[in-house]
Amino acid sequence: MFFLKKLITFFILPPGLFIVIFGVIAYVGRRDKRVFVLSFLSGLFIYLLSIEPVKDFLLKPLETKYSQPKEVYGDVIVVLGGGSYNTGILTEDSLKRILTGFVLHKRLNVPIILSGGSAITNLPESEAMKSVLNELGVDKSMIFTDVNSRDTLQNAFFTKKICEKYGFKSIILVTSAYHMPRSVMVFEKAGLQVIPYPTDFKMDKKYTLYSYFPKMNVLQDSTKAIREYVGIIAYKLNYLFRS
């Protein structure tokens, strides 16, 4: 009964619902080869991106490139924003990043740079992250904010300006593991000395039968991985044409 309840739940809610709809369209329109193929492939594509083994396959090259060092030293901790809502509440990615930055700050007692502007919200991400650090008791004099950046390139640009102003040489870069390869690439190209400290790992690695049921959070993580690959390619092409 428990398994049946789970099975029904997975397929009456997105993305399972979309898979069912495409399956129905494929069945009803099976006489038209184009309709059948397009509907079948669309449903299959959503299904694959919504299951944990495929999500991990996409994330693995990104999340295994850097691991958390046991010993870490640097002049300043740089935390990259991962999104926030108009209410000022941080998204899951941002919250995990800022908590990791806080733990490092408590361990090393070095300043923190919060980088993130208001790309799609009214409140800059860095201000929302700063509020969390203030609640946790971090001295305001130890927090620097970049409220202007809207993407990773601008994160590096404005972070470098802060580092030059205050004489920070080496940065401990904190961001989600899937986002770290592109971030290191961009920050090093900007001329910064980077010590990667990834967090917010999203790979499951161990699977059960339920790992093959479609889930919306898995689809979201697969989308993040694909977006990173697109971002890496776009950055490399941009650098190639500029040089």
Side-chain angles (χ1 to χ4, degrees):
M1 181 61 71
F2 176 79
F3 175 79
L4 182 60
K5 182 176 69 174
K6 283 288 185 181
L7 183 63
I8 293 173
T9 300
F10 281 127
F11 284 97
I12 63 174
L13 296 174
L17 177 62
F18 301 143
I19 298 169
V20 171
I21 291 173
F22 278 119
V24 171
I25 294 173
Y27 178 78
V28 173
R30 64 188 182 278
R31 296 180 184 277
D32 187 324
K33 187 176 180 180
R34 289 174 299 179
V35 172
F36 175 80
V37 171
L38 182 60
S39 301
F40 176 80
L41 291 180
S42 297
L44 179 63
F45 182 69
I46 294 175
Y47 171 74
L48 291 175
L49 292 182
S50 304
I51 60 174
E52 291 168 13
V54 174
K55 178 259 294 181
D56 286 356
F57 174 79
L58 292 171
L59 285 170
K60 186 175 181 179
L62 300 171
E63 292 202 339
T64 56
K65 189 172 180 64
Y66 298 101
S67 57
Q68 285 188 353
K70 294 182 179 179
E71 298 292 333
V72 59
Y73 303 97
D75 297 326
V76 65
I77 300 162
V78 177
V79 182
L80 303 186
S84 63
Y85 302 103
N86 282 319
T87 56
I89 302 298
L90 295 173
T91 62
E92 178 186 357
D93 287 11
S94 285
L95 189 58
K96 289 179 178 179
R97 296 177 190 184
I98 196 61
L99 290 178
T100 300
F102 171 72
V103 171
L104 285 173
H105 168 74
K106 296 295 287 184
R107 186 197 308 176
L108 304 174
N109 193 32
V110 296
I112 303 176
I113 297 175
L114 307 175
S115 182
S118 51
I120 56 176
T121 60
N122 296 324
L123 179 70
E125 296 173 54
S126 55
E127 290 298 324
M129 292 191 291
K130 183 179 180 180
S131 296
V132 173
L133 291 182
N134 289 338
E135 289 293 327
L136 292 171
V138 178
D139 193 317
K140 293 182 180 180
S141 65
M142 298 286 277
I143 304 173
F144 302 91
T145 56
D146 149 37
V147 299
N148 298 307
S149 58
R150 296 190 174 188
D151 57 25
T152 308
L153 280 170
Q154 292 184 1
N155 286 147
F157 176 79
F158 289 110
T159 295
K160 185 178 181 180
K161 283 187 170 296
I162 296 174
C163 288
E164 289 175 342
K165 181 178 180 179
Y166 293 97
F168 302 135
K169 300 298 183 182
S170 60
I171 67 169
I172 303 169
L173 185 61
V174 176
T175 189
S176 299
Y178 70 86
H179 184 234
M180 186 60 79
R182 180 158 62 105
S183 300
V184 171
M185 185 190 309
V186 172
F187 273 71
E188 287 184 340
K189 193 64 68 175
L192 292 163
Q193 182 182 336
V194 180
I195 300 99
Y197 199 93
T199 187
D200 184 28
F201 291 84
K202 298 183 182 298
M203 289 177 61
D204 288 285
K205 299 180 181 180
K206 296 182 180 179
Y207 311 117
T208 67
L209 177 62
Y210 299 107
S211 302
Y212 295 87
F213 287 178
K215 307 179 191 69
M216 183 57 78
N217 66 306
V218 174
L219 178 60
Q220 290 172 337
D221 288 343
S222 294
T223 302
K224 290 175 181 178
I226 294 172
R227 185 177 62 194
E228 282 304 305
Y229 290 118
V230 172
I232 290 171
I233 293 171
Y235 174 76
K236 288 184 176 180
L237 288 175
N238 179 63
Y239 180 74
L240 179 65
F241 287 123
R242 288 179 63 183
S243 58

Short mmCIF file of all heavy atoms in Angstrom, two decimals, residues 60-120:
data_model
loop_
_atom_site.label_atom_id
_atom_site.label_comp_id
_atom_site.label_asym_id
_atom_site.label_seq_id
_atom_site.Cartn_x
_atom_site.Cartn_y
_atom_site.Cartn_z
N LYS A 60 28.23 14.89 -11.72
CA LYS A 60 29.51 14.30 -11.29
C LYS A 60 30.73 15.06 -11.80
O LYS A 60 31.64 15.37 -11.00
CB LYS A 60 29.58 12.84 -11.70
CG LYS A 60 30.82 12.13 -11.16
CD LYS A 60 30.82 10.65 -11.49
CE LYS A 60 32.06 9.97 -10.92
NZ LYS A 60 32.07 8.52 -11.21
N PRO A 61 30.84 15.39 -13.10
CA PRO A 61 32.03 16.12 -13.55
C PRO A 61 32.19 17.48 -12.88
O PRO A 61 33.32 17.98 -12.73
CB PRO A 61 31.79 16.28 -15.06
CG PRO A 61 30.83 15.20 -15.41
CD PRO A 61 29.94 15.07 -14.21
N LEU A 62 31.09 18.08 -12.47
CA LEU A 62 31.12 19.39 -11.83
C LEU A 62 31.47 19.28 -10.35
O LEU A 62 32.32 20.02 -9.84
CB LEU A 62 29.77 20.09 -11.99
CG LEU A 62 29.29 20.35 -13.42
CD1 LEU A 62 27.85 20.83 -13.41
CD2 LEU A 62 30.18 21.37 -14.11
N GLU A 63 30.83 18.34 -9.66
CA GLU A 63 30.96 18.27 -8.20
C GLU A 63 32.21 17.53 -7.73
O GLU A 63 32.57 17.62 -6.56
CB GLU A 63 29.72 17.62 -7.59
CG GLU A 63 28.47 18.48 -7.74
CD GLU A 63 27.39 18.13 -6.72
OE1 GLU A 63 27.43 17.01 -6.16
OE2 GLU A 63 26.54 18.98 -6.47
N THR A 64 32.85 16.78 -8.61
CA THR A 64 34.05 16.03 -8.20
C THR A 64 35.34 16.74 -8.60
O THR A 64 36.43 16.24 -8.29
CB THR A 64 34.04 14.61 -8.82
OG1 THR A 64 33.95 14.72 -10.25
CG2 THR A 64 32.87 13.80 -8.29
N LYS A 65 35.24 17.87 -9.26
CA LYS A 65 36.45 18.60 -9.69
C LYS A 65 37.20 19.17 -8.49
O LYS A 65 38.43 19.20 -8.46
CB LYS A 65 36.08 19.71 -10.66
CG LYS A 65 37.30 20.38 -11.31
CD LYS A 65 36.88 21.34 -12.39
CE LYS A 65 38.09 22.02 -13.04
NZ LYS A 65 38.96 21.05 -13.73
N TYR A 66 36.45 19.63 -7.47
CA TYR A 66 37.07 20.19 -6.26
C TYR A 66 36.40 19.56 -5.04
O TYR A 66 35.19 19.31 -5.03
CB TYR A 66 36.89 21.70 -6.20
CG TYR A 66 37.55 22.44 -7.35
CD1 TYR A 66 36.79 22.90 -8.43
CD2 TYR A 66 38.92 22.68 -7.37
CE1 TYR A 66 37.38 23.57 -9.49
CE2 TYR A 66 39.52 23.34 -8.43
CZ TYR A 66 38.74 23.79 -9.48
OH TYR A 66 39.34 24.44 -10.53
N SER A 67 37.19 19.31 -4.01
CA SER A 67 36.66 18.80 -2.74
C SER A 67 37.01 19.79 -1.64
O SER A 67 37.88 20.65 -1.81
CB SER A 67 37.24 17.42 -2.42
OG SER A 67 38.66 17.49 -2.38
N GLN A 68 36.33 19.67 -0.52
CA GLN A 68 36.61 20.56 0.60
C GLN A 68 37.97 20.21 1.22
O GLN A 68 38.18 19.09 1.66
CB GLN A 68 35.53 20.44 1.67
CG GLN A 68 34.22 21.11 1.33
CD GLN A 68 33.26 21.13 2.51
OE1 GLN A 68 33.51 20.52 3.56
NE2 GLN A 68 32.15 21.82 2.35
N PRO A 69 38.90 21.17 1.25
CA PRO A 69 40.21 20.90 1.88
C PRO A 69 40.08 20.78 3.39
O PRO A 69 39.28 21.48 4.01
CB PRO A 69 41.04 22.13 1.49
CG PRO A 69 40.03 23.21 1.25
CD PRO A 69 38.80 22.53 0.70
N LYS A 70 40.86 19.86 3.98
CA LYS A 70 40.82 19.70 5.43
C LYS A 70 41.43 20.90 6.14
O LYS A 70 40.97 21.31 7.20
CB LYS A 70 41.54 18.41 5.82
CG LYS A 70 40.85 17.15 5.33
CD LYS A 70 41.59 15.90 5.79
CE LYS A 70 40.88 14.64 5.32
NZ LYS A 70 41.59 13.40 5.74
N GLU A 71 42.48 21.43 5.55
CA GLU A 71 43.13 22.63 6.09
C GLU A 71 43.02 23.73 5.04
O GLU A 71 43.34 23.50 3.87
CB GLU A 71 44.60 22.36 6.41
CG GLU A 71 44.81 21.29 7.48
CD GLU A 71 44.34 21.74 8.86
OE1 GLU A 71 44.32 22.97 9.11
OE2 GLU A 71 43.99 20.87 9.67
N VAL A 72 42.55 24.89 5.46
CA VAL A 72 42.37 25.97 4.51
C VAL A 72 42.80 27.30 5.14
O VAL A 72 42.53 27.54 6.32
CB VAL A 72 40.90 26.06 4.03
CG1 VAL A 72 39.94 26.29 5.19
CG2 VAL A 72 40.73 27.13 2.96
N TYR A 73 43.52 28.10 4.35
CA TYR A 73 43.97 29.40 4.83
C TYR A 73 43.76 30.43 3.71
O TYR A 73 43.90 30.11 2.53
CB TYR A 73 45.46 29.37 5.21
CG TYR A 73 45.79 28.33 6.26
CD1 TYR A 73 46.28 27.09 5.88
CD2 TYR A 73 45.59 28.61 7.61
CE1 TYR A 73 46.57 26.13 6.83
CE2 TYR A 73 45.89 27.65 8.57
CZ TYR A 73 46.38 26.42 8.18
OH TYR A 73 46.65 25.47 9.12
N GLY A 74 43.44 31.65 4.10
CA GLY A 74 43.25 32.71 3.12
C GLY A 74 43.04 34.03 3.84
O GLY A 74 42.82 34.08 5.05
N ASP A 75 43.12 35.12 3.07
CA ASP A 75 42.95 36.45 3.65
C ASP A 75 41.49 36.81 3.87
O ASP A 75 41.17 37.59 4.76
CB ASP A 75 43.59 37.50 2.73
CG ASP A 75 45.08 37.31 2.58
OD1 ASP A 75 45.72 36.87 3.55
OD2 ASP A 75 45.61 37.59 1.48
N VAL A 76 40.62 36.23 3.03
CA VAL A 76 39.21 36.59 3.10
C VAL A 76 38.37 35.45 2.53
O VAL A 76 38.82 34.69 1.67
CB VAL A 76 38.95 37.90 2.30
CG1 VAL A 76 39.21 37.70 0.82
CG2 VAL A 76 37.55 38.44 2.54
N ILE A 77 37.16 35.33 3.04
CA ILE A 77 36.20 34.33 2.55
C ILE A 77 35.24 35.05 1.60
O ILE A 77 34.70 36.10 1.93
CB ILE A 77 35.40 33.71 3.71
CG1 ILE A 77 36.33 33.01 4.70
CG2 ILE A 77 34.34 32.73 3.18
CD1 ILE A 77 35.69 32.76 6.06
N VAL A 78 35.07 34.50 0.41
CA VAL A 78 34.14 35.07 -0.57
C VAL A 78 32.98 34.10 -0.77
O VAL A 78 33.18 32.96 -1.18
CB VAL A 78 34.83 35.34 -1.92
CG1 VAL A 78 33.82 35.86 -2.94
CG2 VAL A 78 35.98 36.33 -1.75
N VAL A 79 31.77 34.56 -0.45
CA VAL A 79 30.57 33.73 -0.60
C VAL A 79 29.74 34.28 -1.76
O VAL A 79 29.35 35.44 -1.75
CB VAL A 79 29.72 33.72 0.68
CG1 VAL A 79 28.49 32.81 0.50
CG2 VAL A 79 30.55 33.26 1.87
N LEU A 80 29.49 33.44 -2.75
CA LEU A 80 28.70 33.85 -3.91
C LEU A 80 27.22 33.58 -3.66
O LEU A 80 26.85 32.51 -3.18
CB LEU A 80 29.16 33.10 -5.17
CG LEU A 80 30.64 33.22 -5.53
CD1 LEU A 80 30.90 32.54 -6.87
CD2 LEU A 80 31.07 34.68 -5.58
N GLY A 81 26.38 34.54 -4.02
CA GLY A 81 24.95 34.38 -3.85
C GLY A 81 24.39 33.32 -4.78
O GLY A 81 24.84 33.15 -5.91
N GLY A 82 23.38 32.61 -4.30
CA GLY A 82 22.73 31.57 -5.10
C GLY A 82 21.26 31.81 -5.27
O GLY A 82 20.52 30.90 -5.65
N GLY A 83 20.82 33.05 -5.02
CA GLY A 83 19.42 33.38 -5.21
C GLY A 83 18.71 33.74 -3.92
O GLY A 83 19.07 33.27 -2.84
N SER A 84 17.73 34.62 -4.04
CA SER A 84 16.88 34.99 -2.90
C SER A 84 15.52 35.41 -3.43
O SER A 84 15.36 35.69 -4.62
CB SER A 84 17.52 36.14 -2.11
OG SER A 84 17.62 37.30 -2.91
N TYR A 85 14.55 35.44 -2.54
CA TYR A 85 13.20 35.85 -2.91
C TYR A 85 13.01 37.32 -2.60
O TYR A 85 13.79 37.93 -1.86
CB TYR A 85 12.17 35.01 -2.15
CG TYR A 85 12.32 33.52 -2.38
CD1 TYR A 85 12.91 32.69 -1.42
CD2 TYR A 85 11.87 32.93 -3.56
CE1 TYR A 85 13.06 31.33 -1.62
CE2 TYR A 85 12.02 31.56 -3.78
CZ TYR A 85 12.61 30.77 -2.81
OH TYR A 85 12.77 29.43 -3.02
N ASN A 86 11.98 37.91 -3.18
CA ASN A 86 11.71 39.33 -2.94
C ASN A 86 11.42 39.63 -1.46
O ASN A 86 11.50 40.78 -1.03
CB ASN A 86 10.52 39.79 -3.79
CG ASN A 86 10.93 40.03 -5.24
OD1 ASN A 86 11.99 40.57 -5.51
ND2 ASN A 86 10.09 39.61 -6.17
N THR A 87 11.07 38.60 -0.72
CA THR A 87 10.81 38.76 0.72
C THR A 87 12.09 38.90 1.52
O THR A 87 12.05 39.20 2.71
CB THR A 87 10.04 37.54 1.25
OG1 THR A 87 10.78 36.35 0.96
CG2 THR A 87 8.66 37.45 0.61
N GLY A 88 13.24 38.66 0.86
CA GLY A 88 14.51 38.70 1.58
C GLY A 88 14.95 37.35 2.10
O GLY A 88 16.01 37.23 2.72
N ILE A 89 14.15 36.32 1.86
CA ILE A 89 14.49 34.96 2.28
C ILE A 89 15.43 34.35 1.25
O ILE A 89 15.20 34.44 0.04
CB ILE A 89 13.23 34.09 2.42
CG1 ILE A 89 12.26 34.71 3.42
CG2 ILE A 89 13.61 32.67 2.84
CD1 ILE A 89 12.80 34.84 4.82
N LEU A 90 16.50 33.72 1.72
CA LEU A 90 17.47 33.10 0.82
C LEU A 90 16.95 31.78 0.28
O LEU A 90 16.22 31.05 0.96
CB LEU A 90 18.78 32.86 1.57
CG LEU A 90 19.54 34.10 2.04
CD1 LEU A 90 20.72 33.68 2.90
CD2 LEU A 90 20.01 34.93 0.86
N THR A 91 17.35 31.46 -0.94
CA THR A 91 17.04 30.14 -1.49
C THR A 91 17.92 29.10 -0.81
O THR A 91 18.85 29.43 -0.08
CB THR A 91 17.30 30.10 -3.00
OG1 THR A 91 18.70 30.35 -3.24
CG2 THR A 91 16.46 31.13 -3.74
N GLU A 92 17.62 27.84 -1.07
CA GLU A 92 18.37 26.74 -0.44
C GLU A 92 19.86 26.83 -0.76
O GLU A 92 20.70 26.66 0.14
CB GLU A 92 17.82 25.40 -0.94
CG GLU A 92 18.56 24.19 -0.39
CD GLU A 92 18.08 22.89 -1.00
OE1 GLU A 92 17.13 22.92 -1.81
OE2 GLU A 92 18.67 21.84 -0.69
N ASP A 93 20.20 27.10 -2.02
CA ASP A 93 21.61 27.18 -2.40
C ASP A 93 22.33 28.29 -1.64
O ASP A 93 23.43 28.11 -1.12
CB ASP A 93 21.75 27.42 -3.90
CG ASP A 93 21.39 26.19 -4.73
OD1 ASP A 93 20.84 25.24 -4.15
OD2 ASP A 93 21.64 26.19 -5.94
N SER A 94 21.71 29.47 -1.60
CA SER A 94 22.32 30.61 -0.90
C SER A 94 22.49 30.33 0.58
O SER A 94 23.51 30.67 1.18
CB SER A 94 21.46 31.87 -1.09
OG SER A 94 21.62 32.40 -2.37
N LEU A 95 21.48 29.71 1.19
CA LEU A 95 21.53 29.45 2.62
C LEU A 95 22.67 28.49 2.96
O LEU A 95 23.41 28.71 3.93
CB LEU A 95 20.20 28.87 3.10
CG LEU A 95 20.02 28.74 4.61
CD1 LEU A 95 20.20 30.08 5.30
CD2 LEU A 95 18.66 28.15 4.94
N LYS A 96 22.84 27.46 2.16
CA LYS A 96 23.93 26.51 2.41
C LYS A 96 25.29 27.18 2.23
O LYS A 96 26.24 26.92 2.98
CB LYS A 96 23.80 25.30 1.48
CG LYS A 96 22.63 24.39 1.82
CD LYS A 96 22.54 23.23 0.86
CE LYS A 96 21.38 22.31 1.24
NZ LYS A 96 21.24 21.17 0.30
N ARG A 97 25.39 28.05 1.25
CA ARG A 97 26.65 28.75 1.01
C ARG A 97 26.99 29.68 2.17
O ARG A 97 28.13 29.71 2.63
CB ARG A 97 26.57 29.55 -0.29
CG ARG A 97 26.39 28.70 -1.54
CD ARG A 97 26.24 29.57 -2.79
NE ARG A 97 25.84 28.80 -3.95
CZ ARG A 97 25.70 29.29 -5.17
NH1 ARG A 97 25.98 30.57 -5.40
NH2 ARG A 97 25.32 28.52 -6.18
N ILE A 98 26.01 30.44 2.64
CA ILE A 98 26.29 31.41 3.69
C ILE A 98 26.59 30.71 5.01
O ILE A 98 27.43 31.18 5.80
CB ILE A 98 25.13 32.42 3.85
CG1 ILE A 98 25.59 33.64 4.66
CG2 ILE A 98 23.92 31.80 4.48
CD1 ILE A 98 26.71 34.42 4.03
N LEU A 99 25.96 29.59 5.28
CA LEU A 99 26.25 28.84 6.51
C LEU A 99 27.66 28.26 6.46
O LEU A 99 28.36 28.22 7.48
CB LEU A 99 25.21 27.74 6.72
CG LEU A 99 23.81 28.22 7.10
CD1 LEU A 99 22.85 27.04 7.23
CD2 LEU A 99 23.84 29.02 8.39
N THR A 100 28.08 27.81 5.28
CA THR A 100 29.46 27.33 5.13
C THR A 100 30.44 28.47 5.35
O THR A 100 31.47 28.32 6.02
CB THR A 100 29.67 26.72 3.74
OG1 THR A 100 28.77 25.61 3.57
CG2 THR A 100 31.11 26.23 3.56
N GLY A 101 30.13 29.64 4.79
CA GLY A 101 30.98 30.81 5.00
C GLY A 101 31.07 31.19 6.47
O GLY A 101 32.15 31.56 6.96
N PHE A 102 29.95 31.08 7.17
CA PHE A 102 29.93 31.40 8.60
C PHE A 102 30.82 30.43 9.38
O PHE A 102 31.58 30.86 10.26
CB PHE A 102 28.48 31.33 9.12
CG PHE A 102 28.38 31.43 10.60
CD1 PHE A 102 28.59 32.63 11.25
CD2 PHE A 102 28.04 30.31 11.37
CE1 PHE A 102 28.50 32.73 12.63
CE2 PHE A 102 27.93 30.40 12.75
CZ PHE A 102 28.16 31.60 13.39
N VAL A 103 30.72 29.15 9.08
CA VAL A 103 31.54 28.14 9.77
C VAL A 103 33.03 28.42 9.54
O VAL A 103 33.85 28.35 10.47
CB VAL A 103 31.17 26.72 9.29
CG1 VAL A 103 32.18 25.70 9.83
CG2 VAL A 103 29.76 26.36 9.75
N LEU A 104 33.38 28.75 8.30
CA LEU A 104 34.78 29.07 8.01
C LEU A 104 35.23 30.33 8.75
O LEU A 104 36.37 30.40 9.24
CB LEU A 104 34.96 29.27 6.49
CG LEU A 104 34.98 28.00 5.64
CD1 LEU A 104 34.98 28.36 4.16
CD2 LEU A 104 36.19 27.14 5.98
N HIS A 105 34.34 31.33 8.82
CA HIS A 105 34.67 32.56 9.52
C HIS A 105 34.94 32.29 11.01
O HIS A 105 35.89 32.83 11.58
CB HIS A 105 33.53 33.56 9.37
CG HIS A 105 33.64 34.74 10.28
ND1 HIS A 105 34.55 35.76 10.08
CD2 HIS A 105 32.96 35.06 11.42
CE1 HIS A 105 34.42 36.66 11.04
NE2 HIS A 105 33.47 36.26 11.87
N LYS A 106 34.12 31.46 11.61
CA LYS A 106 34.30 31.12 13.02
C LYS A 106 35.62 30.37 13.24
O LYS A 106 36.27 30.53 14.26
CB LYS A 106 33.13 30.28 13.53
CG LYS A 106 31.78 31.00 13.51
CD LYS A 106 31.76 32.18 14.47
CE LYS A 106 31.70 31.71 15.91
NZ LYS A 106 31.58 32.85 16.85
N ARG A 107 36.00 29.56 12.26
CA ARG A 107 37.22 28.77 12.39
C ARG A 107 38.47 29.61 12.15
O ARG A 107 39.48 29.47 12.86
CB ARG A 107 37.21 27.60 11.39
CG ARG A 107 38.37 26.64 11.54
CD ARG A 107 38.56 25.77 10.31
NE ARG A 107 37.34 25.09 9.91
CZ ARG A 107 37.26 24.35 8.81
NH1 ARG A 107 38.33 24.19 8.02
NH2 ARG A 107 36.12 23.76 8.49
N LEU A 108 38.41 30.51 11.16
CA LEU A 108 39.61 31.23 10.73
C LEU A 108 39.68 32.67 11.20
O LEU A 108 40.74 33.29 11.18
CB LEU A 108 39.69 31.21 9.19
CG LEU A 108 39.66 29.83 8.52
CD1 LEU A 108 39.61 29.99 7.01
CD2 LEU A 108 40.87 29.02 8.93
N ASN A 109 38.53 33.22 11.58
CA ASN A 109 38.43 34.62 12.02
C ASN A 109 38.99 35.59 10.97
O ASN A 109 39.79 36.48 11.28
CB ASN A 109 39.17 34.81 13.35
CG ASN A 109 38.82 36.16 14.00
OD1 ASN A 109 37.71 36.66 13.86
ND2 ASN A 109 39.78 36.75 14.70
N VAL A 110 38.57 35.41 9.73
CA VAL A 110 38.94 36.32 8.65
C VAL A 110 37.66 36.96 8.10
O VAL A 110 36.57 36.43 8.30
CB VAL A 110 39.70 35.60 7.52
CG1 VAL A 110 41.03 35.06 8.03
CG2 VAL A 110 38.86 34.49 6.91
N PRO A 111 37.78 38.11 7.42
CA PRO A 111 36.58 38.79 6.90
C PRO A 111 35.85 37.98 5.83
O PRO A 111 36.38 37.01 5.29
CB PRO A 111 37.15 40.08 6.30
CG PRO A 111 38.49 40.25 6.92
CD PRO A 111 39.00 38.87 7.18
N ILE A 112 34.63 38.42 5.55
CA ILE A 112 33.79 37.76 4.54
C ILE A 112 33.34 38.79 3.52
O ILE A 112 32.87 39.88 3.88
CB ILE A 112 32.54 37.11 5.18
CG1 ILE A 112 32.94 36.10 6.26
CG2 ILE A 112 31.68 36.44 4.13
CD1 ILE A 112 31.75 35.50 6.98
N ILE A 113 33.48 38.44 2.25
CA ILE A 113 32.91 39.24 1.17
C ILE A 113 31.68 38.50 0.65
O ILE A 113 31.76 37.33 0.27
CB ILE A 113 33.90 39.45 0.01
CG1 ILE A 113 35.12 40.23 0.48
CG2 ILE A 113 33.22 40.18 -1.16
CD1 ILE A 113 36.20 40.37 -0.60
N LEU A 114 30.54 39.17 0.64
CA LEU A 114 29.30 38.61 0.13
C LEU A 114 29.04 39.21 -1.24
O LEU A 114 28.92 40.43 -1.37
CB LEU A 114 28.14 38.91 1.07
CG LEU A 114 28.35 38.51 2.54
CD1 LEU A 114 27.18 38.96 3.38
CD2 LEU A 114 28.53 37.00 2.65
N SER A 115 28.97 38.36 -2.27
CA SER A 115 28.86 38.87 -3.64
C SER A 115 27.54 38.43 -4.27
O SER A 115 27.28 37.23 -4.42
CB SER A 115 30.03 38.37 -4.49
OG SER A 115 29.96 38.89 -5.79
N GLY A 116 26.72 39.40 -4.62
CA GLY A 116 25.45 39.09 -5.27
C GLY A 116 24.54 40.29 -5.28
O GLY A 116 24.20 40.82 -4.21
N GLY A 117 24.13 40.72 -6.46
CA GLY A 117 23.21 41.86 -6.57
C GLY A 117 21.78 41.41 -6.71
O GLY A 117 21.41 40.31 -6.32
N SER A 118 20.96 42.28 -7.29
CA SER A 118 19.54 41.99 -7.45
C SER A 118 19.24 41.72 -8.91
O SER A 118 18.71 42.57 -9.63
CB SER A 118 18.69 43.17 -6.95
OG SER A 118 19.13 44.39 -7.53
N ALA A 119 19.61 40.52 -9.37
CA ALA A 119 19.44 40.17 -10.78
C ALA A 119 17.96 40.09 -11.15
O ALA A 119 17.53 40.64 -12.16
CB ALA A 119 20.13 38.84 -11.07
N ILE A 120 17.16 39.41 -10.32
CA ILE A 120 15.73 39.26 -10.65
C ILE A 120 14.84 39.59 -9.45
O ILE A 120 13.63 39.44 -9.53
CB ILE A 120 15.42 37.82 -11.13
CG1 ILE A 120 15.86 36.78 -10.09
CG2 ILE A 120 16.10 37.54 -12.47
CD1 ILE A 120 15.49 35.36 -10.45
#
